Amino acid sequence: MSENPLFRGLNRPGSLNPEDMNDLEKKHTPVITAPDKVSRGERFEVVVETGVYMRHPNEYGHHFSWIELYLDDVPVGRVYLQPVIAAPRAVFRLNAAEDYVGKRKLVARAFCNLHGTWVSEKSIDIE
Ligand SMILES: [Fe+2]
């Protein structure tokens, strides 16, 4: 078991505004790029990327191992990342299915092997 307190739970930055983040938050917070609103039946893309506000190492000893996406509490998928060769970026293609119509939340999680799991969220309206 790691002594690193960052491994005890889900790490969230105090603010999603990069100007208010410390360096650890800038390197680790997953950034979600997705439409604010989609129509039912529409196919759309959600891109999740880390190290956007400040570059994060991508070495065997320090890297992001995976990125995952949820729609509210529904797991959408997880992308495993091989250090050095794979950039910490995942593209998820979603279908705005009838079952998911409403005001929803995209939740991204990214796991750094040295600094634990980092979370961010973005609202999406499925009409
Ligand atoms: Fe890290």
Side-chain angles (χ1 to χ4, degrees):
M1 186 79 175
S2 173
E3 295 292 318
N4 185 339
L6 295 171
F7 275 93
R8 291 186 192 142
L10 300 174
N11 301 296
R12 296 170 191 271
S15 162
L16 285 180
N17 181 351
E19 290 177 13
D20 298 329
M21 291 180 183
N22 61 36
D23 288 356
L24 196 67
E25 293 169 338
K26 286 180 186 170
K27 290 179 185 176
H28 292 88
T29 300
V31 174
I32 302 170
T33 304
D36 295 327
K37 190 186 294 189
V38 294
S39 302
R40 67 185 71 194
E42 185 179 340
R43 294 176 191 276
F44 62 100
E45 274 189 0
V46 177
V47 178
V48 181
E49 193 168 12
T50 58
V52 172
Y53 305 126
M54 185 176 284
R55 192 186 164 279
H56 183 276
N58 189 10
E59 306 159 355
Y60 295 108
H62 187 193
H63 58 271
F64 282 95
S65 303
W66 48 258
I67 292 173
E68 63 186 11
L69 181 70
Y70 293 75
L71 184 66
D72 292 334
D73 58 353
V74 177
V76 174
R78 176 186 276 193
V79 173
Y80 290 95
L81 301 161
Q82 176 70 8
V84 179
I85 193 168
R89 183 177 195 272
V91 180
F92 299 90
R93 293 179 199 279
L94 282 74
N95 177 28
E98 183 75 31
D99 292 352
Y100 297 99
V101 168
K103 295 201 180 304
R104 303 288 176 183
K105 201 165 46 179
L106 294 163
V107 183
R109 294 180 179 183
F111 178 76
C112 166
N113 71 319
L114 290 187
H115 300 111
T117 305
W118 291 75
V119 182
S120 66
E121 300 173 353
K122 181 191 185 307
S123 298
I124 187 166
D125 195 357
I126 302 177
E127 302 184 321

